[in-house]
RNA sequence: GCCCCGGUAGCUCAGCUGGAUAGAGCAACUGACUUCUAAUCAGUAGGUCGCAGGUUCGAAUCCUGCUCGGGGUGCCA
């Protein structure tokens, strides 16, 4: 049930007479029907009379009146008013609301209609690099992709999730090199994950060290040059009085000043990297492996070329690494329909490049095979001059595979917004290549920033490990649960801590508009008060508490309901909010924004708590009113539970 | 240089296909647990929506310029 949708359909034929056959305009006008901004204006408002009035050269209020007279709204609305310059305020009819509440009550899926045109979706998310420790940044892609897949399926699409693992990249070269030169066999036998992860970090550190060392003189001279440039500019600035010239110099000073800061930061990073090795026990190791950077690349290319030793090691390492990630996924209750990593596409890459070349889309440039695109300065490189393929090649192979094997109508890539340009190029090439029917969409999300306003470091420094974050979330939820529930069993406490702690962590991410960067804040991520999963879970638990206390079984009422009664305004408000669930889900899918579902659920929670405050179930005047309220409670709980389940967040009967 | 994002309350953020008085949460302050669970509720305070123009009956939202911050920018992913 979607009141907004039904209202639009009521107005559609009338609007179409105003804008003639311009179908796009009809939808624009119908889009101007929206939930009322203020409850005193009713439940919905239509704002199309103003532009239509202008178009027809008539006063908007008159146009509004004519449209309202023509539309048959009597079944849906009990009150239609024209206000201000020509707003049409619509108030839903109580009987219509009650009837639809009954339909929701009787339906497993709360009367959420399936979409008219189901599509095949592939949702590509999480996609961590195997063998690199997962960190807090990975949670965003994972929870957003998971939620979108669930919402898509719930409304009737066929959505499959794919974890496009980075299981074929340079990081494996690092591990291979580390394993061959630095492994501690005993540790590896006992705990391969820990040892591989140590080796990865060690090799990473050595590469950084040599890289920094090589770049140091260059960085120093670059900084010195910028500093003299800055000093000159400042001298010029003090000697200039003419306004326009001064403004110009000031701008340059600020720009160069910024570059100086950047250069300083780079230099500092390099020196830190160097000093962390030099003088320590790693110094001799570093000295023994001066060419580790190129050696690692060699290991990678040997792997890709089919070298037996490296292939065997890769085959041995991969399951170990995957198992490590699996423990995180298990804790998040995330499962994928498929996990076709980069390695899966390896054999297809050569053919694809050949095909692109044969069709004239790709050509050699500086030794590399490139696809040049009109709208981009730089080409998309599909094969390096050393013959190796890149992720763009793999991504093309992935598109081809998905189109051919899954008949995909749409592919969603839930990936950090820093890859924006990569995807624009990728989609442009795919289109050129013939895959121009499917919707290819980069569902980008903002970067997780540190408190310093810079993106979270992943290579060095203290990243917040995912496992540690999950532990802390459960710990904090557990402490509160213990405090509030005397005599709770250890099992229940653990379950409560898990559901609330992990749920709130996910919700913290999902409730934010995905496109914004966000500052990582331990306290906010783990908060259990205010707009959090715990708030909604608490609302659910409260309903269960009420139902236990009043000793009314809501289940029979689902198929044999009493008539709803709105004894107070808040009951009606709760009812209307409950009927907006489908609207919220369809809003989520317009631009793939799960935060809109969070917003909806939070609004529902707030309305419910108001209802809870004002409407007693224990002391109702009549049995029918009591049953009506039980029905509202039941629907609220089920809507919260269903909504949270679409975000892959659980609920508890007691908190 | 060029290209993308972003700047909204002390903090973290919603709202952005133009709509009526710009909203939450946190933090602060006041009040509500002998009452269906206080992980809650009621209330107070807090804003030149980065700046300046423009379009419009109407702009946080669209356009232009400026400014500040982040990111990307041929052989990493």
């Amino acid at each position: 049930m979607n009141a907004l949708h039904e209202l639009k359909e009521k107005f559609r034929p009338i609007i179409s007479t105003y804008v003639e056959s311009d179908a796009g305009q009809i939808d624009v006008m119908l889009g101007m029907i929206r939930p009322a901004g203020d409850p005193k204006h009713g439940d919905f408002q239509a704002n199309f009379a103003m532009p239509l009035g202008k178009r027809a050269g008539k006063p908007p209020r008159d146009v509004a009146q004519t449209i309202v007279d023509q539309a048959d709204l009597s079944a849906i609305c009990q009150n239609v008013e024209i206000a201000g310059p020509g707003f049409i305020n619509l108030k839903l009819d109580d009987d219509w609301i009650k009837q639809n509440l009954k339909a929701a009550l009787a339906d497993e899926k709360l009367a959420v209609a399936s979409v008219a045109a189901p599509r095949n979706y592939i949702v590509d998310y999480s996609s961590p690099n195997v063998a690199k420790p997962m960190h807090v940044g990975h949670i965003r892609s994972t929870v957003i992709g998971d939620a979108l897949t669930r919402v898509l399926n719930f409304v009737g699409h066929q959505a499959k999730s794919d974890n496009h693992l980075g299981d074929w990249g340079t990081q494996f070269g690092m591990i291979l090199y580390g394993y061959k030169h630095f492994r501690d066999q005993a540790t590896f036998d006992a705990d391969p994950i820990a040892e591989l992860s140590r080796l990865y970090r060690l090799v990473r550190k050595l590469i950084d060290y040599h890289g920094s060392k090589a770049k140091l003189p260059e960085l120093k001279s670059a900084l010195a040059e910028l500093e003299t440039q800055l000093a000159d500019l400042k001298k010029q600035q003090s000697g200039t009085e003419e306004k326009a010239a001064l403004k110009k110099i000031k701008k340059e000073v600020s720009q160069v000043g910024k570059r100086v800061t950047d250069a300083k930061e780079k230099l500092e990073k390099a020196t830190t990297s160097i000093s962390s090795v030099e003088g320590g026990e790693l110094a001799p190791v570093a000295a023994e492996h001066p060419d580790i950077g190129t050696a690692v690349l060699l290991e990678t290319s040997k792997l890709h070329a089919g070298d037996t030793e490296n292939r065997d090691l890769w085959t041995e390492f991969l399951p170990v690494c995957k198992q490590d990630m699996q423990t995180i996924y298990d804790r998040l209750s995330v499962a994928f329909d498929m996990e076709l990593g980069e390695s899966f596409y390896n054999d297809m890459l050569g053919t694809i490049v050949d095909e692109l070349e044969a069709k004239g889309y790709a050509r050699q440039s500086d030794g590399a095979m490139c696809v040049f695109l009109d709208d981009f300065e730089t080409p998309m490189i599909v094969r390096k001059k050393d013959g190796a393929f890149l992720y763009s090649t793999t991504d093309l192979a992935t598109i081809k595979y998905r189109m051919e094997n899954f008949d995909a109508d749409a592919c969603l890539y839930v990936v950090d917004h820093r890859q924006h340009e990569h995807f624009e190029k990728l989609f442009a090439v795919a289109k050129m290549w013939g895959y121009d029917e499917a919707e290819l969409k980069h569902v980008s999300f903002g970067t997780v920033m540190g408190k310093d306003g810079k993106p979270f470091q992943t290579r060095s420094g203290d990243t917040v490990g995912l496992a540690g974050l999950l532990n802390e979330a459960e710990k904090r939820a557990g402490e509160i649960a213990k405090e509030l529930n005397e005599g709770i069993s250890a099992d229940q406490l653990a379950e409560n801590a898990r559901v609330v702690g992990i749920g709130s962590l996910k919700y913290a991410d999902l409730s934010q508009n995905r496109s914004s960067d966000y500052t990582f804040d331990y306290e906010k991520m783990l908060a259990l008060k205010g707009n959090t999963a715990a708030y909604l879970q608490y609302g659910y638990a409260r309903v269960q508490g009420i139902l236990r206390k009043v000793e009314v079984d809501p289940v029979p009422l689902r198929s044999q309901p009493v008539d709803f009664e709105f004894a107070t305004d808040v009951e009606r408000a709760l009812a209307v909010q409950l009927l907006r669930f489908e609207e919220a889900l369809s809003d989520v899918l317009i631009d793939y924004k799960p935060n809109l579902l969070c917003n909806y659920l939070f609004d529902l929670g707030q309305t419910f708590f108001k209802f809870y405050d004002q409407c007693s179930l224990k002391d109702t005047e009549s049995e029918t009113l009591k049953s009506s309220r039980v029905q509202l409670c039941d629907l609220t709980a089920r809507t919260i539970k269903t909504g949270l389940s679409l975000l892959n967040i659980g609920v508890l009967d007691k908190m």
Side-chain angles (χ1 to χ4, degrees), chain A residues 173-410:
Chain A
M174 293 193 223
I175 295 206
L176 288 166
Y177 188 91
Y179 182 84
K180 290 180 184 178
H181 296 90
F182 307 123
R183 81 167 176 281
D184 179 330
Q185 189 64 45
T187 321
F188 183 78
D189 292 340
D191 187 351
I193 293 166
E195 180 61 3
L196 288 180
S197 148
R198 182 189 72 88
L199 290 171
Y200 170 79
R201 287 196 303 265
L202 173 62
V203 174
R204 175 87 257 168
K205 199 167 183 181
L206 294 175
I207 292 175
D208 283 347
Y209 166 75
H210 285 296
S212 301
K213 192 112 183 177
K215 267 191 303 184
L216 198 61
E218 192 191 316
L219 290 172
K220 275 184 178 160
S221 68
L223 179 59
E225 198 179 304
L226 282 166
E227 274 175 336
T228 40
Q229 202 183 334
L230 186 61
D232 285 353
L233 279 168
K234 279 188 175 161
K235 215 183 280 172
Q236 263 188 59
Q237 189 184 347
S238 60
T240 308
E241 278 173 23
E242 201 265 314
K243 262 191 178 174
L246 190 65
K247 197 179 165 191
K248 200 178 158 195
I249 292 179
K250 269 191 175 168
K251 191 174 171 179
E252 277 183 53
V253 166
S254 101
Q255 279 174 349
V256 175
K258 227 185 291 173
R259 267 184 273 162
V260 168
T261 319
D262 280 358
K264 273 186 184 160
E265 273 174 24
K266 275 186 193 161
L267 185 63
E268 199 187 310
K269 241 184 178 171
T271 29
T272 325
S273 161
I274 292 169
S275 63
S276 73
V277 170
E278 267 173 12
E281 52 190 21
L282 278 181
V285 183
E288 277 170 40
H289 299 265
D291 300 320
I292 188 165
T294 46
V296 159
L297 288 178
L298 188 65
E299 295 293 354
T300 315
S301 66
K302 273 164 73 183
L303 169 69
H304 290 186
D307 174 81
T308 320
E309 186 191 10
N310 280 8
R311 278 285 173 111
D312 287 349
L313 284 173
W314 181 81
T315 315
E316 187 184 348
F317 296 159
L318 189 61
V320 174
C321 298
K322 275 178 138 174
Q323 199 197 329
D324 186 39
M325 296 186 325
Q326 196 56 45
T327 57
I328 300 275
Y329 288 136
D330 287 346
R331 292 184 70 183
L332 294 172
S333 316
V334 172
F336 297 91
D337 294 313
M338 14 179 195
E339 285 197 333
L340 303 179
E342 293 174 334
S343 61
F344 177 80
Y345 299 96
N346 184 48
D347 298 339
M348 311 171 199
L349 304 182
T351 326
I352 283 171
V353 174
D354 292 346
E355 187 188 330
L356 289 172
E357 192 183 8
K359 288 191 173 165
Y361 302 139
R363 63 178 167 86
Q364 293 267 357
S365 168
D366 292 337
M369 189 59 71
C370 301
V371 182
F372 287 89
L373 297 154
D374 290 343
D375 298 334
F376 299 90
E377 261 185 66
T378 55
M380 185 168 90
I381 299 176
V382 291
R383 194 176 63 208
K384 300 198 279 184
K385 62 181 166 202
D386 68 4
F389 302 109
L390 295 101
Y391 74 136
S392 48
T393 331
T394 313
D395 280 351
L396 283 171
T398 308
I399 290 177
K400 184 180 163 81
Y401 183 83
R402 285 173 181 167
M403 296 306 159
E404 289 175 0
N405 292 275
F406 298 105
D407 197 19
D409 300 306

Side-chain angles (χ1 to χ4, degrees), chain A residues 22 68 77 99 105 112 154 202 230 341 374 389 401 440 522 575 640 642 648:
Chain A
D22 192 342
V68 165
C77 295
Q99 195 184 325
L105 207 53
V112 172
F154 188 79
L202 173 62
L230 186 61
D374 290 343
F389 302 109
Y401 183 83
L440 298 172
Y522 225 77
I640 290 176
T642 307
N648 199 359

Side-chain angles (χ1 to χ4, degrees), chain A residues 1-6 8 31 33-35 44 111-116 119 121 147-148 150-157 439 514 578-598 600 643 646:
Chain A
M1 202 298 310
N2 189 333
L4 187 55
H5 184 256
E6 302 216 359
K8 284 182 182 175
I33 307 173
R34 55 186 58 212
F44 292 90
V112 172
S114 285
V115 287
R119 304 207 291 170
Y121 278 86
L148 291 177
R150 285 162 184 267
V151 173
L152 285 166
N153 281 318
F154 188 79
V155 302
H157 293 294
E439 177 190 2
R514 62 175 167 79
L578 285 165
L579 293 181
R580 290 202 210 268
F581 186 45
E582 182 179 323
E583 200 180 303
L585 295 180
S586 86
D587 285 347
V588 167
L589 295 181
I590 290 172
D591 200 26
Y592 308 111
K593 288 163 92 169
N595 69 308
L596 298 180
L597 177 53
C598 296
Y600 166 79
L646 295 178

